[in-house]
Amino acid sequence: MSVLDVPQPEFMDDEEISIFADAVGKFYQQHAPEKRVLQWREDGQVERDFWREAGEAGLLGSSVPEEYGGHGGDFRHEMVVIDQQAKHNVEGFAASLHNTVILPYLVRHGTEEQKKKYLPKLVSGELVSAIAMTEPGVGSDLQSITTTALKDGNGYRINGAKTYISNGQTADFIIVVAKTDPKERAKGISLMLLETEGAEGFQRGKKLDKIGMDAADTSELFFDDVFVPAENVLGGEEGKGFYQLMGELPQERLIIAMGAMTGIEKALETTMEYVKSRKAFGQTIWDFQNTQFVMADLKARATAARVFVNDCIAKHLKRELSVDTACMAKYWVTELQGEVVDKCLQFHGGAGYINDYPIARMYRDSRITRIFGGSNEVMKMVIARAM
């Protein structure tokens, strides 16, 4: 039971959802034991077979319509996959990226032909996805990207470089953010669908050495005159890419807030167990008033954050989550996560600096949440614009 004791929200009070959660939890127990996850951490990526296993078990594309090979669920099913992954300490498996960031681009913006061609393979795990936005010189300012996709006969030639790409070593289906009209900013951006197998001129760079998230592969990607057919422009029309990206960002930022919230809860639970068992000066760490006051403060603020995140999810399920509210959730909860994990690590003393202890990995892994999905400085800019 969570240390926060926040009641389960009404939107999750569904027998079918509970049954699905049990099935997903059992899958992770059987297919992602600690030994296998440790190997992923050592290798710096999840092996390809696990994606196929997850697809066979119904963990990929839970909310994709059945006519495209999906399971016909909704956002709650995607939440379950992510939540159970966190509860079972399954590191590196980018289900949230694949299911809730990339597949929605195809479901909501793809042509009928694109949906029929790609979604069944993405749901089965035959294809693993990535989205290539960030460039060596361009981060949150997507309108300034320099990667191009220029017309050439019956298709386009992609040229450019991308970096910090999650699933970069594993993905064989990549949505490439590129300029089809380099003279324009937002209106010049299109999303190009690239299957990497046999793609001449496509090259994966090195696997990047990160300070955290050891089991998740993050890479550089290079495009040298990579050809994609004209029908691989997402939605079938040039110049819509930036608006497609902006339309999906609220869900992505909500997912980041949800992950940060789970991280907060796990940090508090881990630390409560530690301070009540560790002794110093003839008493447990918990017996010191300072420990109780700090933990009480963190619990109070974490409870408020959980209530806020649940409200955001409820709004999102009704298609009522605004862009600025999603930014507030991403900004505030990830900032709180950083503070919670830091203070919880302090209670572990020297043990908190040793990677064998979960709190140490939480400390390293949590730092990125204030950066990806749009830095928290950008979140504040968006919030301010709506005031």
Side-chain angles (χ1 to χ4, degrees):
M1 186 175 183
S2 171
V3 70
L4 302 185
D5 300 327
V6 176
Q8 176 174 271
E10 288 186 11
F11 56 76
M12 294 300 287
D13 188 15
D14 185 312
E15 184 179 2
E16 192 272 329
I17 292 293
S18 297
I19 293 171
F20 182 62
D22 288 340
V24 173
K26 289 177 182 176
F27 170 83
Y28 283 132
Q29 287 177 337
Q30 295 171 4
H31 293 264
E34 183 179 5
K35 183 178 180 180
R36 193 177 192 184
V37 174
L38 287 173
Q39 187 63 53
W40 297 345
R41 200 185 298 160
E42 186 175 320
D43 295 341
Q45 67 185 72
V46 175
E47 88 267 27
R48 195 65 177 70
D49 287 345
F50 185 76
W51 283 91
R52 296 188 184 92
E53 293 166 18
E56 290 173 5
L59 272 66
L60 304 181
S62 300
S63 61
V64 171
E66 293 179 356
E67 59 262 40
Y68 304 117
H71 307 291
D74 56 37
F75 185 68
R76 296 174 302 166
H77 294 82
E78 308 293 9
M79 288 171 52
V80 164
V81 173
I82 299 167
D83 182 60
Q84 289 294 320
Q85 178 181 349
K87 287 180 177 177
H88 290 85
N89 299 311
V90 182
E91 300 174 28
F93 178 45
S96 60
L97 173 70
H98 186 84
N99 288 344
T100 67
V101 176
I102 296 172
L103 267 63
Y105 282 107
L106 281 164
V107 172
R108 295 170 189 160
H109 305 291
T111 64
E112 193 65 19
E113 291 73 20
Q114 290 167 351
K115 293 176 185 179
K116 289 179 179 178
K117 181 177 182 180
Y118 293 117
L119 285 173
K121 294 179 181 180
L122 290 162
V123 170
S124 69
E126 182 181 344
L127 290 178
V128 174
S129 64
I131 184 164
M133 295 190 201
T134 304
E135 298 181 354
V138 180
S140 296
D141 182 15
L142 287 174
Q143 295 186 51
S144 298
I145 60 168
T146 59
T147 297
T148 58
L150 303 181
K151 282 186 176 179
D152 181 18
N154 61 345
Y156 297 81
R157 295 282 178 181
I158 302 176
N159 284 280
K162 300 289 185 177
T163 192
Y164 312 144
I165 307 304
S166 299
N167 274 0
Q169 294 292 319
T170 309
D172 35 30
F173 174 84
I174 301 174
I175 298 179
V176 183
V177 182
K179 286 280 184 76
T180 44
D181 185 352
K183 297 177 183 178
E184 295 284 351
R185 281 177 60 78
K187 293 180 180 179
I189 294 175
S190 301
L191 304 187
M192 316 301 292
L193 308 180
L194 173 67
E195 284 190 81
T196 63
E197 186 175 356
E200 189 176 343
F202 169 74
Q203 184 178 353
R204 303 179 200 271
K206 65 179 181 180
K207 190 186 304 176
L208 299 174
D209 184 14
K210 309 182 300 297
I211 65 171
M213 300 182 72
D214 297 333
D217 84 83
T218 307
S219 303
E220 300 169 322
L221 302 177
F222 301 99
F223 307 86
D224 182 10
D225 265 354
V226 179
F227 181 80
V228 294
E231 59 266 25
N232 280 33
V233 178
L234 182 65
E237 186 178 354
E238 288 185 16
K240 301 295 182 182
F242 186 77
Y243 309 101
Q244 292 164 344
L245 289 167
M246 293 303 103
E248 300 309 316
L249 280 175
Q251 176 163 297
E252 180 179 354
R253 287 162 179 167
L254 174 59
I255 288 291
I256 294 170
M258 290 164 52
M261 191 65 243
T262 300
I264 289 170
E265 292 171 346
K266 290 188 70 175
L268 291 174
E269 290 165 9
T270 297
T271 303
M272 283 300 297
E273 291 177 6
Y274 185 84
V275 298
K276 288 189 174 183
S277 62
R278 174 74 171 178
K279 291 186 176 181
F281 302 103
Q283 59 183 349
T284 67
I285 303 297
W286 173 251
D287 290 327
F288 291 97
Q289 188 183 63
N290 176 69
T291 306
Q292 296 176 21
F293 278 13
V294 171
M295 292 298 287
D297 173 67
L298 296 180
K299 177 177 180 177
R301 287 191 284 154
T303 299
R306 169 49 75 186
V307 173
F308 178 41
V309 169
N310 286 350
D311 183 64
C312 288
I313 295 169
K315 285 184 169 68
H316 185 57
L317 288 168
K318 295 185 287 186
R319 303 280 185 186
E320 295 175 358
L321 180 64
S322 67
V323 172
D324 59 306
T325 302
C327 288
M328 289 182 214
K330 193 270 184 187
Y331 156 67
W332 186 57
V333 182
T334 59
E335 291 288 340
L336 180 60
Q337 180 189 22
E339 183 178 352
V340 168
V341 172
D342 183 71
K343 290 185 175 180
C344 285
L345 186 150
Q346 187 70 19
F347 284 128
H348 284 71
Y353 204 64
I354 305 301
N355 279 322
D356 289 342
Y357 286 80
I359 194 67
R361 292 196 299 277
M362 292 180 197
Y363 183 83
R364 294 191 297 116
D365 292 349
S366 65
R367 187 59 186 88
I368 189 60
T369 62
R370 285 171 272 171
I371 298 171
F372 62 18
S375 70
N376 280 5
E377 289 74 22
V378 172
M379 297 303 98
K380 287 188 275 189
M381 288 169 60
V382 176
I383 295 165
R385 287 174 189 155
M387 294 177 70

